[in-house]
């Protein structure tokens, strides 16, 4: 291995190790003290509940573990947004599991908690798979209620989704394993079946103190909304169990009796491992993100050996479009070529930039994949579309619009992996979050922003200088340098993948060598949901 590749490997592995260290801390939730307190109450932690529920704790895929990271510091933080969301297998059935973490502010809902729950429901709805709620929550975090109560994508949307999923036949099972208060009480009861744990589980619209204040009635919480009340008097819950373990066992039993889902008919053959060692993925992404590399090498390390059929190889070479297989699943890959290439007219084209011919090629390829019922995988390392008079005169906006149109109207499942840059309109054309990929994944090397840091710093500096000039002050070179450094620092922090993950712009930051298994799992999910629409590009300027 040459020195440059060794440096690349060290940089990427270091970035991944730092994220892993952060994730290990996040998995402690509210900390060891609160976990011990939970154990003394006879309760399992959120992650223990999940591990005992699934068939194999090693075969789960966690969504949004970095959500809310570095947020809500004035309230002591909210690790993983106070809720654990995984995709796993329960009694042989693939499903989404949502578990409130009672060690984080008693499982209270922060704004990012609602956003993460909505993402979990979206995954279940898009893929037509069951969703299981392990409920243990004190309800809305009141100091931030105005940020998560009344808007369209706030707390209430969760109950709307409960109703919509039920009408579509998507199974929802809830186990009330702790508090379930106020508006949050509707979530388990709007599920198809509800389980409640004796003594620790409770459901009520208002607790005993609020009842006393509101109507003067004195009543304890257990009589008001405990397991005996809701199983034997109100009929709100369907099953009463003695403890967490019995609740999880009951869910497994219910899941085991479910019928088999319909298939979307995606093709799968025997898995064949890539020819080269997947560890080589670490060596490919340059430590300096403006340096080129050959994306073909990356694709070879992700797809099954000898499975590539490249579409229009010699045309529009800044995008690679190819049919291939990933763990046996047929896929169509659209990937940014990061090395400098020569166009059909002999001119050199920048790697990572989408030119008109490349956008045209991708549009046709996406249409082909929709015609043949082949899921799409986008490998993003894009700095944007080509600019300049020549590009504008050739109709780059029109070509780009056609590609964006094809991505937006695609009815086959889409999966996006950000391996490097994700800048500008390139993010959209390569199926960014706004275009509904079934899973939006990123490597530790990923960056996401309107433009690269150096360009952005120069633009923002000019804006700041103009503002300062208006006030009658002149910046000397030293002040200008200091200002640019501060702007660059602030901008850089918000382009790092940790920031994107904290905002849930990506579902997971993954180890590069896990890319194959994440995509394979995603297609397995998607295969539960046959398309209900036909691919139609609508009206286009051709």
């Amino acid at each position: 291995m040459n020195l440059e590749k060794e440096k690349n490997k060290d940089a990427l592995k270091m970035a991944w190790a730092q994220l892993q260290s952060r994730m290990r801390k996040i998995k402690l939730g509210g900390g060891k003290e609160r976990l011990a307190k939970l154990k003394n109450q006879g309760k399992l932690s959120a992650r223990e509940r999940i591990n005992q529920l699934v068939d194999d704790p090693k075969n789960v895929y966690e969504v949004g573990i970095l959500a809310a990271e570095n947020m809500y510091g004035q309230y002591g933080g909210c690790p993983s947004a106070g809720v654990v969301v995984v995709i796993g297998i329960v009694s042989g059935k693939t499903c989404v599991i949502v578990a409130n973490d009672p060690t984080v502010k008693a499982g209270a809902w922060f704004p990012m908690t609602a956003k993460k729950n909505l993402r979990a429901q979206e995954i279940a709805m898009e893929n037509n798979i069951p969703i299981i709620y392990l409920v243990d929550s004190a309800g809305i975090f009141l100091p931030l209620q105005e940020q998560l109560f009344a808007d369209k994508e706030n707390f209430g949307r969760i109950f709307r989704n409960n109703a919509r999923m039920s009408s579509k036949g998507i199974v929802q099972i809830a186990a009330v394993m702790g508090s379930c208060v106020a508006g949050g009480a509707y979530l388990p009861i709007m599920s198809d079946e509800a389980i409640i744990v004796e003594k620790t589980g409770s459901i009520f619209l208002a607790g005993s103190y609020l009842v006393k204040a509101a109507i003067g009635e004195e009543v304890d919480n257990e009589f008001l909304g405990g397991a005996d009340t809701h199983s034997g008097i109100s009929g709100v819950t369907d099953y009463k169990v003695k403890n967490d373990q019995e609740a999880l066992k009951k869910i497994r039993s219910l899941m085991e009796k479910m019928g088999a889902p319909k298939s979307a008919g995606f093709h799968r053959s025997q898995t064949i491992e890539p020819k080269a060692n997947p560890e080589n993925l670490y060596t490919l992404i340059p430590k300096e993100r403006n340096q080129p590399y050959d994306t073909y090498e990356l694709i070879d390390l992700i797809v099954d050996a000898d499975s590539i059929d490249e579409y229009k190889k010699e045309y529009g070479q800044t995008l690679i479009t190819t049919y291939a297989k990933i763990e046996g699943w047929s896929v169509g890959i659209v990937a940014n070529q990061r090395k400098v290439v020569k166009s059909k007219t002999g001119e050199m084209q920048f790697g990572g930039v989408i030119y008109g011919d490349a956008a045209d090629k991708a549009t046709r390829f996406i249409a082909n994949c929709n015609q043949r019922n082949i899921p799409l995988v986008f490998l993003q390392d894009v700095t944007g579309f080509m600019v300049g008079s020549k590009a504008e005169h050739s109709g780059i906006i029109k070509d780009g619009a056609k590609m964006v149109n094809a991505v937006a109207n695609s009815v086959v499942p889409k999966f996006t992996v950000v391996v490097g840059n994700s800048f500008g309109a390139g993010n959209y054309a390569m199926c960014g979050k706004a275009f509904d990929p079934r899973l939006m994944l990123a490597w530790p090397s990923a960056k996401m922003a309107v433009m690269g840091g150096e360009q952005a710093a120069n633009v923002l500096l000019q804006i700041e200088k103009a503002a300062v000039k208006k006030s009658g002050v002149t910046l000397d070179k030293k002040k200008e340098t200091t200002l640019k450094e501060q702007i660059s620092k602030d901008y850089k922090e918000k382009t790092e993948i940790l920031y994107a993950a904290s905002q849930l712009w990506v579902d997971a930051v993954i180890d590069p060598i896990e890319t194959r298994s994440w995509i394979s799992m995603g297609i397995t999910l998607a295969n539960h949901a046959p398309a209900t629409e036909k691919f139609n590009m609508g009206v286009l300027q051709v």
Side-chain angles (χ1 to χ4, degrees), residues 74 171 248 271 292 373 408 413 440 507:
Q74 67 272 45
V171 173
L248 300 170
T271 297
N373 200 29
M440 182 86 181
D507 293 312

Side-chain angles (χ1 to χ4, degrees), residues 284-335:
L284 293 179
I285 307 297
K287 182 180 177 183
E288 300 300 326
R289 295 301 303 112
N290 59 351
Q291 295 300 305
Y293 62 92
D294 192 347
T295 305
Y296 283 106
E297 293 181 38
L298 189 154
I299 293 171
D300 283 339
L301 291 166
I302 289 175
V303 304
D304 293 8
D306 300 319
S307 67
I308 288 176
D309 293 298
E310 188 171 357
Y311 177 78
K312 289 185 180 290
K313 181 175 183 177
E314 291 78 22
Y315 181 70
Q317 293 180 56
T318 60
L319 280 177
I320 298 169
T321 50
T322 184
Y323 304 105
K325 292 194 173 184
I326 293 178
E327 292 199 355
W329 290 108
S330 295
V331 296
I333 295 174
V334 181

Side-chain angles (χ1 to χ4, degrees), residues 359-397:
D360 175 66
K361 175 174 76 169
T363 301
R364 298 186 195 191
F365 180 72
I366 291 165
N368 286 354
C369 288
N370 275 271
Q371 182 193 53
R372 300 169 196 186
N373 200 29
I374 298 174
L376 284 158
V377 175
F378 293 83
L379 301 177
Q380 281 196 14
D381 195 344
V382 59
T383 52
F385 283 90
M386 188 57 190
V387 297
S389 61
K390 187 173 181 180
E392 298 293 358
H393 294 172
S394 69
I396 185 68
I397 294 175

Side-chain angles (χ1 to χ4, degrees), residues 138-392:
I140 284 178
F141 186 64
L142 287 177
L144 296 175
Q145 62 84 24
E146 81 284 357
Q147 296 181 34
L148 76 154
F149 174 66
D151 209 349
K152 180 178 178 180
E153 297 297 330
N154 283 176
F155 193 62
R157 187 77 171 182
I158 291 162
F159 311 133
R160 176 264 187 195
N161 288 348
N162 287 142
R164 295 294 296 154
M165 281 191 278
S166 187
S167 74
K168 293 176 183 293
I170 297 171
V171 173
Q172 301 173 86
I173 297 174
V176 180
M177 309 172 91
S179 297
C180 188
V181 184
Y186 286 104
L187 186 146
I189 309 314
M190 292 191 73
S191 299
D192 303 310
E193 292 188 285
I195 300 158
I196 189 167
V197 178
E198 289 181 5
K199 296 188 171 47
T200 58
S202 58
I203 309 170
F204 35 69
L205 295 180
S208 55
Y209 293 122
L210 187 53
V211 168
K212 175 73 184 296
I215 63 172
E217 180 185 3
E218 292 198 18
V219 60
D220 65 63
N221 283 340
E222 186 63 27
F223 182 73
L224 182 66
D228 288 340
T229 294
H230 285 312
S231 295
I233 300 173
S234 72
V236 163
T237 55
D238 306 302
Y239 308 94
K240 181 177 74 172
V241 295
K242 291 181 179 179
N243 51 40
D244 282 7
Q245 290 85 348
E246 196 173 311
L248 300 170
K249 186 177 177 182
K250 177 61 70 176
I251 296 170
R252 289 185 56 79
S253 181
L254 294 171
M255 290 289 290
E256 193 273 331
K257 295 173 178 67
M258 280 176 51
K262 293 179 181 178
S263 170
F266 304 130
H267 176 68
R268 191 176 198 182
S269 56
Q270 183 180 352
T271 297
I272 301 173
E273 294 298 318
K275 279 184 176 178
N277 185 349
E279 284 275 330
N280 292 343
L281 284 169
Y282 295 117
T283 70
L284 293 179
I285 307 297
K287 182 180 177 183
E288 300 300 326
R289 295 301 303 112
N290 59 351
Q291 295 300 305
Y293 62 92
D294 192 347
T295 305
Y296 283 106
E297 293 181 38
L298 189 154
I299 293 171
D300 283 339
L301 291 166
I302 289 175
V303 304
D304 293 8
D306 300 319
S307 67
I308 288 176
D309 293 298
E310 188 171 357
Y311 177 78
K312 289 185 180 290
K313 181 175 183 177
E314 291 78 22
Y315 181 70
Q317 293 180 56
T318 60
L319 280 177
I320 298 169
T321 50
T322 184
Y323 304 105
K325 292 194 173 184
I326 293 178
E327 292 199 355
W329 290 108
S330 295
V331 296
I333 295 174
V334 181
N336 301 110
Q337 172 57 294
R338 277 307 310 266
K339 75 174 186 178
V340 177
V341 298
K342 188 180 288 188
S343 76
K344 59 183 181 291
T345 59
E347 63 185 305
M348 302 310 291
Q349 295 183 336
F350 297 106
V353 177
I354 302 174
Y355 288 75
D357 54 357
D360 175 66
K361 175 174 76 169
T363 301
R364 298 186 195 191
F365 180 72
I366 291 165
N368 286 354
C369 288
N370 275 271
Q371 182 193 53
R372 300 169 196 186
N373 200 29
I374 298 174
L376 284 158
V377 175
F378 293 83
L379 301 177
Q380 281 196 14
D381 195 344
V382 59
T383 52
F385 283 90
M386 188 57 190
V387 297
S389 61
K390 187 173 181 180
E392 298 293 358

